[in-house]
Amino acid sequence: MADISKIRLENETYNIKDETARNEINNIIGQDTIFLGDSYAAGTTFEHGSVQYLTSWCEELRRQMGLTTGHYYIFAQGNAGFAKIGNNSMNFQMTLASRINEITDQNAIKNIIVCGGYNDWNETASLIDQRISEFISYCNQQFPNAQVYIGMIGGNSANTSQGASVRDNLFQKVLNIYSSYILPTQ
């Protein structure tokens, strides 16, 4: 199957193939990892008026990284983002903090992979940026040997004015902020 490298939405073409991210994934295979995200991390999405079940991106990536029990943790909080408070009144940092006692050796964690985006679409740019900075600081304190990776995987395919507004905010605001935290290549 061929890789998709570009997507066209509303007369705009977006590059969606990230060679840097692919190279980083190859570098982290086999290392103890925390996966954190929203409903996509839990393996659910709300479409067509009901909850749909899908394979969690965390499970798929865990499998590709060859991680076995005791070497990975999956923490998911539906409707949450870095700024957006989701289910159980928690955002991503609060979710990680509430589950940190499940991690047997914080020094063994080498990667913290957070993917989300959709739920932050209606938050202010400054709040998203502030919360990501706070999240990274928290991770640096709690997991001294870990690198934080941030991915934006949210989308909206609704052919409505609301769908267009969400897409615009996702591409112009959320993706812009999330991608400002991409690591330089080594």
Side-chain angles (χ1 to χ4, degrees), residues 9 12 15 24 28 38 47 67 69-70 73 88 93 101 115-116 123 129 151 157 159 161-162 164 167-169:
L9 296 169
E12 294 287 329
N15 186 358
E24 288 295 328
I28 64 176
D38 54 21
E47 292 185 27
L67 297 174
T69 302
Y73 303 87
N88 301 312
Q93 183 176 334
N101 291 336
C115 290
E123 301 296 329
D129 189 53
S157 61
N159 191 15
S161 60
Q162 172 71 13
R167 283 189 297 279
D168 186 53
N169 278 322

Side-chain angles (χ1 to χ4, degrees), residues 7-10 40 45-47 117-119 121 152-171:
I7 188 170
R8 188 162 175 81
L9 296 169
E10 298 180 355
Y40 296 164
T45 186
F46 189 80
E47 292 185 27
Y118 184 85
N119 299 313
W121 78 269
M152 202 293 275
I153 60 174
N156 185 308
S157 61
N159 191 15
T160 63
S161 60
Q162 172 71 13
S165 177
V166 171
R167 283 189 297 279
D168 186 53
N169 278 322
L170 287 172
F171 288 117

Side-chain angles (χ1 to χ4, degrees), residues 69 91 142 145 165:
T69 302
N91 64 12
Q142 299 298 320
N145 301 314
S165 177

Side-chain angles (χ1 to χ4, degrees), residues 52-67:
Q52 305 293 312
Y53 296 92
L54 48 97
T55 301
S56 160
W57 67 264
C58 302
E59 274 300 323
E60 183 60 33
L61 186 52
R62 177 209 61 81
R63 186 186 60 73
Q64 289 182 25
M65 291 173 67
L67 297 174

Side-chain angles (χ1 to χ4, degrees), residues 126-138:
S126 61
L127 184 61
I128 296 167
D129 189 53
Q130 176 186 340
R131 293 294 186 255
I132 291 174
S133 292
E134 291 168 357
F135 178 85
I136 291 170
S137 293
Y138 176 80

Side-chain angles (χ1 to χ4, degrees), residues 11 23 25 64-65 67 71 75 103 129 161 168 182:
N11 299 321
N23 291 336
I25 288 170
Q64 289 182 25
M65 291 173 67
L67 297 174
H71 297 283
F75 303 137
I103 300 167
D129 189 53
S161 60
D168 186 53
I182 292 177

